Amino acid sequence: VYEYRKGATENGEKIAEQTAAVGQFTLPGGSYVVRAHFKDSKADLVIPIAAGQSLKYTLNMYAGYVKLSALKPKKQKTQAEALNWQILRQRPNAPGIYELVASSAKPGPTMMLREGRYLAVARLGAKLWGSEPIVITAGQTTSKQINLKEGVGAPEVAAAN
């Protein structure tokens, strides 16, 4: 639970924290951001609370899954190789850097992500990489195969918050 700062859910001071499927907090009157994390998905909910008020909220993650796989040049399958996956926001920020949403070092991961549009990037060693746009729909599983290639042009990535 974070203190709400007008116009942005990320900037408030952390007030309370719990690691549980169902959380209960006692807070003074004010506005708060309740942030939930589950697997690679995150959801925020802004809640105004009056003094003495008792509220019950359900936070919907609006999440789906993506199953990822990669092929090396000449359509060779990647096995248990050192494959690194990055899920990025679909569009870069003003300086042209992509924001990292989630990552995995598994050869063929299934990742839970909040509903939206992303860019999946696979990297194998220092030379091979590939990327494909993905669309996540709540409650659905999407499969995406990425063809790896040699060369420059891989997206520049900023670390996740």
Side-chain angles (χ1 to χ4, degrees), residues 23-54:
Q24 185 173 347
F25 302 95
T26 302
L27 302 165
S31 292
Y32 300 92
V33 176
V34 176
R35 179 168 294 145
H37 293 267
F38 183 72
K39 297 189 178 182
D40 297 308
S41 188
K42 178 180 85 169
D44 290 347
L45 178 63
V46 177
I47 301 175
I49 300 173
Q53 185 179 24
S54 179

PDB file of all heavy atoms in Angstrom, residues 23-54:
ATOM      1  N   GLY A  23      -5.287  -9.551   1.738  1.00  0.00           N
ATOM      2  CA  GLY A  23      -4.635  -8.645   2.674  1.00  0.00           C
ATOM      3  C   GLY A  23      -5.655  -7.794   3.409  1.00  0.00           C
ATOM      4  O   GLY A  23      -6.737  -7.519   2.894  1.00  0.00           O
ATOM      5  N   GLN A  24      -5.304  -7.396   4.628  1.00  0.00           N
ATOM      6  CA  GLN A  24      -6.168  -6.511   5.413  1.00  0.00           C
ATOM      7  C   GLN A  24      -5.279  -5.433   6.013  1.00  0.00           C
ATOM      8  O   GLN A  24      -4.241  -5.733   6.612  1.00  0.00           O
ATOM      9  CB  GLN A  24      -6.880  -7.294   6.512  1.00  0.00           C
ATOM     10  CG  GLN A  24      -7.871  -6.447   7.279  1.00  0.00           C
ATOM     11  CD  GLN A  24      -8.696  -7.286   8.245  1.00  0.00           C
ATOM     12  OE1 GLN A  24      -8.701  -8.504   8.181  1.00  0.00           O
ATOM     13  NE2 GLN A  24      -9.384  -6.619   9.132  1.00  0.00           N
ATOM     14  N   PHE A  25      -5.685  -4.181   5.841  1.00  0.00           N
ATOM     15  CA  PHE A  25      -4.889  -3.061   6.304  1.00  0.00           C
ATOM     16  C   PHE A  25      -5.771  -2.114   7.117  1.00  0.00           C
ATOM     17  O   PHE A  25      -6.933  -1.909   6.788  1.00  0.00           O
ATOM     18  CB  PHE A  25      -4.310  -2.273   5.121  1.00  0.00           C
ATOM     19  CG  PHE A  25      -3.462  -3.114   4.204  1.00  0.00           C
ATOM     20  CD1 PHE A  25      -3.994  -3.703   3.071  1.00  0.00           C
ATOM     21  CD2 PHE A  25      -2.121  -3.308   4.484  1.00  0.00           C
ATOM     22  CE1 PHE A  25      -3.220  -4.470   2.230  1.00  0.00           C
ATOM     23  CE2 PHE A  25      -1.329  -4.075   3.650  1.00  0.00           C
ATOM     24  CZ  PHE A  25      -1.872  -4.657   2.523  1.00  0.00           C
ATOM     25  N   THR A  26      -5.210  -1.511   8.152  1.00  0.00           N
ATOM     26  CA  THR A  26      -5.873  -0.456   8.911  1.00  0.00           C
ATOM     27  C   THR A  26      -5.118   0.821   8.595  1.00  0.00           C
ATOM     28  O   THR A  26      -3.927   0.939   8.916  1.00  0.00           O
ATOM     29  CB  THR A  26      -5.841  -0.769  10.421  1.00  0.00           C
ATOM     30  OG1 THR A  26      -6.478  -2.026  10.639  1.00  0.00           O
ATOM     31  CG2 THR A  26      -6.566   0.308  11.202  1.00  0.00           C
ATOM     32  N   LEU A  27      -5.808   1.764   7.954  1.00  0.00           N
ATOM     33  CA  LEU A  27      -5.172   2.987   7.469  1.00  0.00           C
ATOM     34  C   LEU A  27      -5.975   4.201   7.900  1.00  0.00           C
ATOM     35  O   LEU A  27      -7.207   4.140   7.981  1.00  0.00           O
ATOM     36  CB  LEU A  27      -5.087   2.964   5.943  1.00  0.00           C
ATOM     37  CG  LEU A  27      -4.335   1.781   5.318  1.00  0.00           C
ATOM     38  CD1 LEU A  27      -4.637   1.700   3.827  1.00  0.00           C
ATOM     39  CD2 LEU A  27      -2.855   1.923   5.560  1.00  0.00           C
ATOM     40  N   PRO A  28      -5.322   5.330   8.129  1.00  0.00           N
ATOM     41  CA  PRO A  28      -6.066   6.570   8.382  1.00  0.00           C
ATOM     42  C   PRO A  28      -6.731   7.059   7.098  1.00  0.00           C
ATOM     43  O   PRO A  28      -6.377   6.621   6.002  1.00  0.00           O
ATOM     44  CB  PRO A  28      -4.989   7.538   8.870  1.00  0.00           C
ATOM     45  CG  PRO A  28      -3.718   7.013   8.308  1.00  0.00           C
ATOM     46  CD  PRO A  28      -3.882   5.515   8.197  1.00  0.00           C
ATOM     47  N   GLY A  29      -7.671   7.975   7.217  1.00  0.00           N
ATOM     48  CA  GLY A  29      -8.333   8.542   6.043  1.00  0.00           C
ATOM     49  C   GLY A  29      -7.318   9.128   5.079  1.00  0.00           C
ATOM     50  O   GLY A  29      -6.297   9.665   5.490  1.00  0.00           O
ATOM     51  N   GLY A  30      -7.583   8.990   3.785  1.00  0.00           N
ATOM     52  CA  GLY A  30      -6.674   9.500   2.764  1.00  0.00           C
ATOM     53  C   GLY A  30      -6.841   8.715   1.484  1.00  0.00           C
ATOM     54  O   GLY A  30      -7.761   7.912   1.347  1.00  0.00           O
ATOM     55  N   SER A  31      -5.959   8.932   0.542  1.00  0.00           N
ATOM     56  CA  SER A  31      -5.979   8.199  -0.722  1.00  0.00           C
ATOM     57  C   SER A  31      -4.734   7.338  -0.811  1.00  0.00           C
ATOM     58  O   SER A  31      -3.632   7.788  -0.494  1.00  0.00           O
ATOM     59  CB  SER A  31      -6.025   9.166  -1.907  1.00  0.00           C
ATOM     60  OG  SER A  31      -7.265   9.830  -1.929  1.00  0.00           O
ATOM     61  N   TYR A  32      -4.943   6.099  -1.268  1.00  0.00           N
ATOM     62  CA  TYR A  32      -3.857   5.124  -1.302  1.00  0.00           C
ATOM     63  C   TYR A  32      -3.841   4.379  -2.630  1.00  0.00           C
ATOM     64  O   TYR A  32      -4.851   4.296  -3.316  1.00  0.00           O
ATOM     65  CB  TYR A  32      -4.011   4.107  -0.165  1.00  0.00           C
ATOM     66  CG  TYR A  32      -3.984   4.756   1.189  1.00  0.00           C
ATOM     67  CD1 TYR A  32      -5.149   5.165   1.810  1.00  0.00           C
ATOM     68  CD2 TYR A  32      -2.769   4.988   1.828  1.00  0.00           C
ATOM     69  CE1 TYR A  32      -5.124   5.790   3.043  1.00  0.00           C
ATOM     70  CE2 TYR A  32      -2.732   5.611   3.062  1.00  0.00           C
ATOM     71  CZ  TYR A  32      -3.911   6.015   3.674  1.00  0.00           C
ATOM     72  OH  TYR A  32      -3.870   6.636   4.885  1.00  0.00           O
ATOM     73  N   VAL A  33      -2.689   3.823  -2.954  1.00  0.00           N
ATOM     74  CA  VAL A  33      -2.535   2.942  -4.105  1.00  0.00           C
ATOM     75  C   VAL A  33      -2.273   1.549  -3.544  1.00  0.00           C
ATOM     76  O   VAL A  33      -1.300   1.349  -2.809  1.00  0.00           O
ATOM     77  CB  VAL A  33      -1.364   3.370  -5.012  1.00  0.00           C
ATOM     78  CG1 VAL A  33      -1.167   2.364  -6.141  1.00  0.00           C
ATOM     79  CG2 VAL A  33      -1.595   4.756  -5.569  1.00  0.00           C
ATOM     80  N   VAL A  34      -3.145   0.610  -3.881  1.00  0.00           N
ATOM     81  CA  VAL A  34      -2.924  -0.779  -3.505  1.00  0.00           C
ATOM     82  C   VAL A  34      -2.313  -1.450  -4.719  1.00  0.00           C
ATOM     83  O   VAL A  34      -2.882  -1.429  -5.807  1.00  0.00           O
ATOM     84  CB  VAL A  34      -4.244  -1.475  -3.100  1.00  0.00           C
ATOM     85  CG1 VAL A  34      -3.998  -2.949  -2.795  1.00  0.00           C
ATOM     86  CG2 VAL A  34      -4.862  -0.769  -1.907  1.00  0.00           C
ATOM     87  N   ARG A  35      -1.134  -2.035  -4.526  1.00  0.00           N
ATOM     88  CA  ARG A  35      -0.405  -2.665  -5.626  1.00  0.00           C
ATOM     89  C   ARG A  35      -0.301  -4.160  -5.346  1.00  0.00           C
ATOM     90  O   ARG A  35       0.138  -4.565  -4.285  1.00  0.00           O
ATOM     91  CB  ARG A  35       0.989  -2.058  -5.756  1.00  0.00           C
ATOM     92  CG  ARG A  35       1.822  -2.684  -6.865  1.00  0.00           C
ATOM     93  CD  ARG A  35       3.075  -1.876  -7.157  1.00  0.00           C
ATOM     94  NE  ARG A  35       2.664  -0.593  -7.704  1.00  0.00           N
ATOM     95  CZ  ARG A  35       3.302   0.549  -7.479  1.00  0.00           C
ATOM     96  NH1 ARG A  35       4.370   0.570  -6.741  1.00  0.00           N
ATOM     97  NH2 ARG A  35       2.850   1.661  -8.019  1.00  0.00           N
ATOM     98  N   ALA A  36      -0.715  -4.964  -6.322  1.00  0.00           N
ATOM     99  CA  ALA A  36      -0.634  -6.421  -6.193  1.00  0.00           C
ATOM    100  C   ALA A  36       0.317  -6.968  -7.244  1.00  0.00           C
ATOM    101  O   ALA A  36       0.307  -6.528  -8.387  1.00  0.00           O
ATOM    102  CB  ALA A  36      -2.016  -7.034  -6.375  1.00  0.00           C
ATOM    103  N   HIS A  37       1.140  -7.942  -6.841  1.00  0.00           N
ATOM    104  CA  HIS A  37       2.060  -8.646  -7.743  1.00  0.00           C
ATOM    105  C   HIS A  37       1.718 -10.125  -7.705  1.00  0.00           C
ATOM    106  O   HIS A  37       1.514 -10.688  -6.638  1.00  0.00           O
ATOM    107  CB  HIS A  37       3.515  -8.514  -7.274  1.00  0.00           C
ATOM    108  CG  HIS A  37       4.065  -7.147  -7.361  1.00  0.00           C
ATOM    109  ND1 HIS A  37       4.755  -6.704  -8.459  1.00  0.00           N
ATOM    110  CD2 HIS A  37       4.045  -6.117  -6.506  1.00  0.00           C
ATOM    111  CE1 HIS A  37       5.136  -5.460  -8.253  1.00  0.00           C
ATOM    112  NE2 HIS A  37       4.717  -5.077  -7.070  1.00  0.00           N
ATOM    113  N   PHE A  38       1.659 -10.741  -8.879  1.00  0.00           N
ATOM    114  CA  PHE A  38       1.506 -12.183  -8.957  1.00  0.00           C
ATOM    115  C   PHE A  38       2.235 -12.645 -10.204  1.00  0.00           C
ATOM    116  O   PHE A  38       1.933 -12.177 -11.306  1.00  0.00           O
ATOM    117  CB  PHE A  38       0.037 -12.599  -9.010  1.00  0.00           C
ATOM    118  CG  PHE A  38      -0.162 -14.089  -9.029  1.00  0.00           C
ATOM    119  CD1 PHE A  38       0.079 -14.848  -7.905  1.00  0.00           C
ATOM    120  CD2 PHE A  38      -0.574 -14.733 -10.186  1.00  0.00           C
ATOM    121  CE1 PHE A  38      -0.089 -16.221  -7.915  1.00  0.00           C
ATOM    122  CE2 PHE A  38      -0.746 -16.100 -10.218  1.00  0.00           C
ATOM    123  CZ  PHE A  38      -0.496 -16.849  -9.079  1.00  0.00           C
ATOM    124  N   LYS A  39       3.205 -13.529 -10.042  1.00  0.00           N
ATOM    125  CA  LYS A  39       4.061 -13.986 -11.130  1.00  0.00           C
ATOM    126  C   LYS A  39       4.674 -12.772 -11.820  1.00  0.00           C
ATOM    127  O   LYS A  39       5.303 -11.960 -11.161  1.00  0.00           O
ATOM    128  CB  LYS A  39       3.314 -14.912 -12.074  1.00  0.00           C
ATOM    129  CG  LYS A  39       2.854 -16.189 -11.385  1.00  0.00           C
ATOM    130  CD  LYS A  39       2.318 -17.186 -12.345  1.00  0.00           C
ATOM    131  CE  LYS A  39       1.925 -18.452 -11.587  1.00  0.00           C
ATOM    132  NZ  LYS A  39       1.443 -19.482 -12.477  1.00  0.00           N
ATOM    133  N   ASP A  40       4.502 -12.608 -13.128  1.00  0.00           N
ATOM    134  CA  ASP A  40       5.091 -11.466 -13.837  1.00  0.00           C
ATOM    135  C   ASP A  40       4.087 -10.336 -14.050  1.00  0.00           C
ATOM    136  O   ASP A  40       4.308  -9.447 -14.855  1.00  0.00           O
ATOM    137  CB  ASP A  40       5.623 -11.931 -15.205  1.00  0.00           C
ATOM    138  CG  ASP A  40       6.737 -12.944 -15.048  1.00  0.00           C
ATOM    139  OD1 ASP A  40       7.685 -12.650 -14.299  1.00  0.00           O
ATOM    140  OD2 ASP A  40       6.658 -14.024 -15.648  1.00  0.00           O
ATOM    141  N   SER A  41       2.970 -10.368 -13.324  1.00  0.00           N
ATOM    142  CA  SER A  41       1.904  -9.390 -13.514  1.00  0.00           C
ATOM    143  C   SER A  41       1.794  -8.475 -12.299  1.00  0.00           C
ATOM    144  O   SER A  41       2.040  -8.886 -11.171  1.00  0.00           O
ATOM    145  CB  SER A  41       0.579 -10.135 -13.732  1.00  0.00           C
ATOM    146  OG  SER A  41      -0.428  -9.254 -14.094  1.00  0.00           O
ATOM    147  N   LYS A  42       1.418  -7.227 -12.557  1.00  0.00           N
ATOM    148  CA  LYS A  42       1.266  -6.235 -11.504  1.00  0.00           C
ATOM    149  C   LYS A  42      -0.005  -5.438 -11.777  1.00  0.00           C
ATOM    150  O   LYS A  42      -0.318  -5.142 -12.928  1.00  0.00           O
ATOM    151  CB  LYS A  42       2.475  -5.298 -11.502  1.00  0.00           C
ATOM    152  CG  LYS A  42       2.411  -4.188 -10.482  1.00  0.00           C
ATOM    153  CD  LYS A  42       3.640  -3.308 -10.544  1.00  0.00           C
ATOM    154  CE  LYS A  42       3.447  -2.247 -11.596  1.00  0.00           C
ATOM    155  NZ  LYS A  42       4.448  -1.198 -11.584  1.00  0.00           N
ATOM    156  N   ALA A  43      -0.747  -5.110 -10.725  1.00  0.00           N
ATOM    157  CA  ALA A  43      -1.949  -4.285 -10.870  1.00  0.00           C
ATOM    158  C   ALA A  43      -1.985  -3.246  -9.756  1.00  0.00           C
ATOM    159  O   ALA A  43      -1.610  -3.531  -8.621  1.00  0.00           O
ATOM    160  CB  ALA A  43      -3.203  -5.148 -10.814  1.00  0.00           C
ATOM    161  N   ASP A  44      -2.427  -2.038 -10.086  1.00  0.00           N
ATOM    162  CA  ASP A  44      -2.572  -0.951  -9.118  1.00  0.00           C
ATOM    163  C   ASP A  44      -4.031  -0.532  -9.050  1.00  0.00           C
ATOM    164  O   ASP A  44      -4.725  -0.528 -10.075  1.00  0.00           O
ATOM    165  CB  ASP A  44      -1.762   0.276  -9.539  1.00  0.00           C
ATOM    166  CG  ASP A  44      -0.264   0.086  -9.424  1.00  0.00           C
ATOM    167  OD1 ASP A  44       0.162  -0.898  -8.787  1.00  0.00           O
ATOM    168  OD2 ASP A  44       0.475   0.917  -9.958  1.00  0.00           O
ATOM    169  N   LEU A  45      -4.474  -0.171  -7.850  1.00  0.00           N
ATOM    170  CA  LEU A  45      -5.831   0.336  -7.660  1.00  0.00           C
ATOM    171  C   LEU A  45      -5.752   1.518  -6.712  1.00  0.00           C
ATOM    172  O   LEU A  45      -5.200   1.405  -5.609  1.00  0.00           O
ATOM    173  CB  LEU A  45      -6.738  -0.747  -7.071  1.00  0.00           C
ATOM    174  CG  LEU A  45      -8.171  -0.353  -6.764  1.00  0.00           C
ATOM    175  CD1 LEU A  45      -8.918   0.034  -8.046  1.00  0.00           C
ATOM    176  CD2 LEU A  45      -8.893  -1.491  -6.055  1.00  0.00           C
ATOM    177  N   VAL A  46      -6.271   2.693  -7.133  1.00  0.00           N
ATOM    178  CA  VAL A  46      -6.308   3.879  -6.282  1.00  0.00           C
ATOM    179  C   VAL A  46      -7.596   3.823  -5.458  1.00  0.00           C
ATOM    180  O   VAL A  46      -8.685   3.657  -6.008  1.00  0.00           O
ATOM    181  CB  VAL A  46      -6.255   5.179  -7.117  1.00  0.00           C
ATOM    182  CG1 VAL A  46      -6.376   6.401  -6.223  1.00  0.00           C
ATOM    183  CG2 VAL A  46      -4.975   5.229  -7.934  1.00  0.00           C
ATOM    184  N   ILE A  47      -7.441   3.953  -4.120  1.00  0.00           N
ATOM    185  CA  ILE A  47      -8.586   3.840  -3.221  1.00  0.00           C
ATOM    186  C   ILE A  47      -8.623   5.050  -2.290  1.00  0.00           C
ATOM    187  O   ILE A  47      -7.704   5.244  -1.487  1.00  0.00           O
ATOM    188  CB  ILE A  47      -8.498   2.554  -2.374  1.00  0.00           C
ATOM    189  CG1 ILE A  47      -8.456   1.325  -3.276  1.00  0.00           C
ATOM    190  CG2 ILE A  47      -9.649   2.478  -1.386  1.00  0.00           C
ATOM    191  CD1 ILE A  47      -8.241   0.031  -2.536  1.00  0.00           C
ATOM    192  N   PRO A  48      -9.693   5.870  -2.373  1.00  0.00           N
ATOM    193  CA  PRO A  48      -9.871   6.932  -1.385  1.00  0.00           C
ATOM    194  C   PRO A  48     -10.604   6.360  -0.164  1.00  0.00           C
ATOM    195  O   PRO A  48     -11.566   5.614  -0.310  1.00  0.00           O
ATOM    196  CB  PRO A  48     -10.740   7.956  -2.126  1.00  0.00           C
ATOM    197  CG  PRO A  48     -11.469   7.161  -3.158  1.00  0.00           C
ATOM    198  CD  PRO A  48     -10.632   5.954  -3.465  1.00  0.00           C
ATOM    199  N   ILE A  49     -10.126   6.691   1.040  1.00  0.00           N
ATOM    200  CA  ILE A  49     -10.726   6.171   2.270  1.00  0.00           C
ATOM    201  C   ILE A  49     -11.039   7.347   3.187  1.00  0.00           C
ATOM    202  O   ILE A  49     -10.164   8.169   3.480  1.00  0.00           O
ATOM    203  CB  ILE A  49      -9.767   5.209   2.993  1.00  0.00           C
ATOM    204  CG1 ILE A  49      -9.416   4.019   2.096  1.00  0.00           C
ATOM    205  CG2 ILE A  49     -10.365   4.729   4.311  1.00  0.00           C
ATOM    206  CD1 ILE A  49      -8.352   3.114   2.683  1.00  0.00           C
ATOM    207  N   ALA A  50     -12.278   7.395   3.658  1.00  0.00           N
ATOM    208  CA  ALA A  50     -12.675   8.397   4.647  1.00  0.00           C
ATOM    209  C   ALA A  50     -12.366   7.853   6.040  1.00  0.00           C
ATOM    210  O   ALA A  50     -12.341   6.636   6.250  1.00  0.00           O
ATOM    211  CB  ALA A  50     -14.160   8.705   4.517  1.00  0.00           C
ATOM    212  N   ALA A  51     -12.142   8.741   7.005  1.00  0.00           N
ATOM    213  CA  ALA A  51     -11.854   8.316   8.379  1.00  0.00           C
ATOM    214  C   ALA A  51     -12.998   7.453   8.899  1.00  0.00           C
ATOM    215  O   ALA A  51     -14.177   7.770   8.704  1.00  0.00           O
ATOM    216  CB  ALA A  51     -11.661   9.539   9.275  1.00  0.00           C
ATOM    217  N   GLY A  52     -12.677   6.321   9.510  1.00  0.00           N
ATOM    218  CA  GLY A  52     -13.677   5.415  10.068  1.00  0.00           C
ATOM    219  C   GLY A  52     -14.355   4.520   9.045  1.00  0.00           C
ATOM    220  O   GLY A  52     -15.223   3.720   9.405  1.00  0.00           O
ATOM    221  N   GLN A  53     -14.007   4.624   7.802  1.00  0.00           N
ATOM    222  CA  GLN A  53     -14.646   3.843   6.739  1.00  0.00           C
ATOM    223  C   GLN A  53     -14.000   2.468   6.630  1.00  0.00           C
ATOM    224  O   GLN A  53     -12.791   2.314   6.764  1.00  0.00           O
ATOM    225  CB  GLN A  53     -14.489   4.596   5.415  1.00  0.00           C
ATOM    226  CG  GLN A  53     -15.203   3.966   4.247  1.00  0.00           C
ATOM    227  CD  GLN A  53     -15.032   4.780   2.961  1.00  0.00           C
ATOM    228  OE1 GLN A  53     -14.073   5.525   2.809  1.00  0.00           O
ATOM    229  NE2 GLN A  53     -15.968   4.635   2.048  1.00  0.00           N
ATOM    230  N   SER A  54     -14.836   1.449   6.392  1.00  0.00           N
ATOM    231  CA  SER A  54     -14.352   0.091   6.176  1.00  0.00           C
ATOM    232  C   SER A  54     -14.719  -0.307   4.754  1.00  0.00           C
ATOM    233  O   SER A  54     -15.878  -0.185   4.349  1.00  0.00           O
ATOM    234  CB  SER A  54     -15.008  -0.859   7.180  1.00  0.00           C
ATOM    235  OG  SER A  54     -14.557  -2.167   6.968  1.00  0.00           O
TER     236      SER A  54
END
